[in-house]
Amino acid sequence: MAVISIIMITLLFLDFTGSVHKWFGWMAKIQFLPALLSMNLLVVVGLIILTLVFGRLYCYVICPLGIMQDGFGWLGKKAKKNSYSYSAPKSILRYVMLAVMIVSIVFGISAVVALLAPYSAYGRIAQSLLAPVWQWGNNELASWAEAHDSYAFYSVDMWLRGGLTLGVAIATLVILGFLAWRNGRTYCNTICPVGTVLGFFSRFSLLRPVIDTSKCNGCGLCARNCKSACINSKEHTIDYSRCVTCFDCIGKCHQGAISYTRRRAVSASGNKVDDSRRDFLAVTATIAATAAVHAQEKTVDGGLAAITDKKIPARKTKIVPPGAISIRNLASHCTACQLCVSVCPNGVLRPSTDLESLMQPESSYERGYCRPECTRCSEVCPAGAIKPITVADKSSVQIGHAVWVKDNCVPLTDGVECGNCARHCPVGAITMVPSVKGEDSSPKIPIVNTERCIGCGACENLCPARPFSAIYVEGHEIHRTI
């Protein structure tokens, strides 16, 4: 079940068609920290109840970063049989890291939240490292199909959205991979704030692995196979705050000394828990979390000139997507998971490099503009940083306003007619007027009605001026409805 979970979540970050989110989008909504930040209390309470009954099953079958670590841990075990070993709990470190996360959320220190959030860490790995490979494979398939007169597939634009985000993703993968290869879920039980919170509740779980001391011969096989390093075989104890209920210890015990049973109730039969029970609990975990909670055709812009050589203008205020409500709201809720970046069909969203909003999404229009009919980012955000909006809402939300730069305008610099900005403005906020008042034959230049402009960036993106557009969008701190 854990393998199915991580495949579904990974596909969310690889999907460029919008179809996968129709089926698996709920997997992002049931991640603990995004649900908490979006105030989705139904999911949060559901996950806590799940933990109080079964233990930390969330960490075992729902959290993608935990499942990824299990994969590296398995590789480590292949290299050295029974490679895990018991380690004493690092309680002070765990609670210090939890306190750091809480303080960061309260005071809006988004960089720390982005680095510590487990779901977001995996999202960056999938979006930065796996998505390019996936897109390359798609483009190769599209080329092959086209050579055989088939257009069942189409090529997609491949580009690096953020070098800093890529570096963080690589560092995260290397560090966590090494720790997991060496001794299992070290990160989960020493650093991860979600693991610490759920670990507190799992100490009181109704069902848990229990060691029957009358049957245990002290071989230590359970401890050497415990990916959470939480079984002290010498003292016959299990640290339930770190146990992720994977049942590996039960499966490896040759004496039948460990059973998954009710708290304070030791099984007298000594029967092992079979795979059917493990599968049942895994399915139950996913279904319980799910209970707490169309394909959109790809549109391809027509264009005039190549836009790859455009440069980003120096904006005084950054642009955040419709549904974010304000820059402050986005900063206080976003965990920088990159899901919105990965689904943006027009290359508008990319990770921020500013320390205050590190790796959180911001808009820029060198590669495309924010199409009025697209609401994908608001549909997939699991943390409430981008609220769900309709197409009608989007056309009336002002995220910024266009600013004309006289020195770059083609009619004035090259003496040719243009009007691209006015022709493509979806809300009719730009009008072409004579550059010299009273002389209708003079070159026509744009005038922007800032009250009607929604900041979609169509004018900036389609402006033929190079390297900087003659018209660009300034963001708004707080969005407003027009």
Side-chain angles (χ1 to χ4, degrees):
M1 193 64 197
V3 174
I4 295 175
S5 293
I6 196 170
I7 289 175
M8 288 193 294
I9 293 175
T10 303
L11 287 175
L12 293 179
F13 291 94
L14 303 184
D15 178 41
F16 50 80
T17 65
S19 57
V20 172
H21 288 271
K22 176 182 178 181
W23 302 101
F24 304 146
W26 56 270
M27 285 296 297
K29 308 272 185 198
I30 64 173
Q31 301 299 319
F32 187 86
L33 189 57
L36 183 65
L37 291 176
S38 66
M39 297 302 290
N40 194 336
L41 298 182
L42 196 60
V43 172
V44 174
V45 172
L47 292 175
I48 291 176
I49 293 174
L50 179 72
T51 305
L52 288 172
V53 176
F54 299 112
R56 282 175 57 181
L57 271 181
Y58 168 86
C59 300
Y60 179 52
V61 298
I62 297 178
C63 176
L65 196 69
I67 300 171
M68 183 194 76
Q69 290 176 79
D70 287 346
F72 283 107
W74 179 81
L75 293 175
K77 285 189 64 179
K78 295 288 286 185
K80 182 180 179 181
K81 190 176 181 180
N82 300 330
S83 61
Y84 302 139
S85 61
Y86 172 76
S87 63
K90 310 285 192 301
S91 299
I92 294 179
L93 177 60
R94 294 168 69 187
Y95 287 107
V96 166
M97 296 309 298
L98 176 60
V100 169
M101 173 62 93
I102 294 174
V103 170
S104 300
I105 292 175
V106 171
F107 289 96
I109 309 175
S110 59
V112 176
V113 177
L115 292 173
L116 292 181
Y119 163 74
S120 300
Y122 181 79
R124 288 190 293 272
I125 292 172
Q127 194 273 326
S128 300
L129 304 180
L130 298 182
V133 177
W134 182 269
Q135 292 168 353
W136 174 82
N138 169 83
N139 290 350
E140 288 296 310
L141 184 59
S143 297
W144 178 86
E146 184 178 354
H148 291 78
D149 297 325
S150 172
Y151 296 91
F153 304 92
Y154 57 84
S155 296
V156 295
D157 188 19
M158 294 178 57
W159 57 288
L160 183 63
R161 287 174 171 82
L164 178 61
T165 303
L166 176 63
V168 171
I170 293 174
T172 302
L173 180 64
V174 172
I175 294 173
L176 266 62
F178 172 75
L179 292 176
W181 184 89
R182 185 171 177 270
N183 201 36
R185 288 183 172 236
T186 302
Y187 173 83
C188 292
N189 291 324
T190 56
I191 302 296
C192 179
V194 175
T196 300
V197 171
L198 296 181
F200 172 80
F201 290 105
S202 68
R203 293 189 303 169
F204 310 102
S205 61
L206 178 64
L207 300 173
R208 56 177 58 181
V210 177
I211 300 176
D212 187 343
T213 56
S214 65
K215 296 179 181 180
C216 179
N217 62 1
C219 68
L221 194 59
C222 56
R224 294 198 299 274
N225 283 278
C226 178
K227 64 185 66 175
S228 296
C230 66
I231 300 179
N232 188 337
S233 58
K234 294 182 179 179
E235 298 183 8
H236 306 287
T237 59
I238 300 176
D239 184 352
Y240 296 111
S241 70
R242 291 187 286 162
C243 176
V244 295
T245 321
C246 66
F247 306 114
D248 286 350
C249 57
I250 299 175
K252 291 293 182 179
C253 182
H254 300 317
Q255 308 300 318
I258 307 179
S259 59
Y260 185 68
T261 185
R262 291 182 60 186
R263 181 156 39 106
R264 300 192 186 93
V266 180
S267 173
S269 64
N271 292 331
K272 296 182 182 180
V273 173
D274 59 18
D275 289 339
S276 62
R277 176 180 291 186
R278 180 188 300 210
D279 293 341
F280 169 76
L281 290 174
V283 172
T284 301
T286 307
I287 292 177
T290 306
V293 225
H294 283 271
Q296 179 176 336
E297 293 183 1
K298 180 176 176 65
T299 52
V300 181
D301 287 332
L304 298 175
I307 61 173
T308 54
D309 57 347
K310 274 186 178 288
K311 292 185 179 181
I312 303 175
R315 308 183 203 276
K316 296 179 181 179
T317 305
K318 68 179 181 179
I319 310 167
V320 294
I325 302 177
S326 66
I327 294 177
R328 181 176 180 179
N329 178 76
L330 183 91
S332 62
H333 289 83
C334 180
T335 62
C337 73
Q338 308 300 305
L339 190 55
C340 58
V341 175
S342 67
V343 302
C344 181
N346 297 304
V348 171
L349 295 181
R350 70 280 313 272
S352 170
T353 56
D354 293 338
L355 186 60
E356 292 183 357
S357 57
L358 186 65
M359 295 182 292
Q360 293 183 345
E362 62 182 22
S363 300
S364 200
Y365 303 125
E366 307 81 61
R367 291 180 171 269
Y369 63 93
C370 194
R371 301 183 69 94
E373 73 274 14
C374 177
T375 58
R376 285 195 195 172
C377 58
S378 75
E379 294 167 0
V380 303
C381 179
I386 307 176
K387 303 291 185 183
I389 59 174
T390 65
V391 173
D393 292 334
K394 185 173 181 179
S395 297
S396 61
V397 174
Q398 188 180 63
I399 62 175
H401 65 275
V403 177
W404 178 58
V405 181
K406 178 181 179 180
D407 293 340
N408 296 344
C409 197
V410 171
L412 299 181
T413 60
D414 297 351
V416 297
E417 293 185 3
C418 183
N420 242 20
C421 51
R423 266 194 307 274
H424 294 283
C425 179
V427 294
I430 302 177
T431 304
M432 301 299 293
V433 300
S435 56
V436 179
K437 189 174 181 180
E439 296 185 15
D440 293 342
S441 60
S442 62
K444 289 184 171 52
I445 58 174
I447 289 182
V448 180
N449 183 343
T450 56
E451 295 300 314
R452 295 186 64 177
C453 177
I454 59 175
C456 68
C459 54
E460 178 181 331
N461 174 249
L462 297 173
C463 176
R466 298 293 188 275
F468 292 101
S469 295
I471 191 166
Y472 74 97
V473 178
E474 274 291 350
H476 287 178
E477 289 277 351
I478 302 175
H479 297 172
R480 70 183 184 91
T481 302
I482 59 174

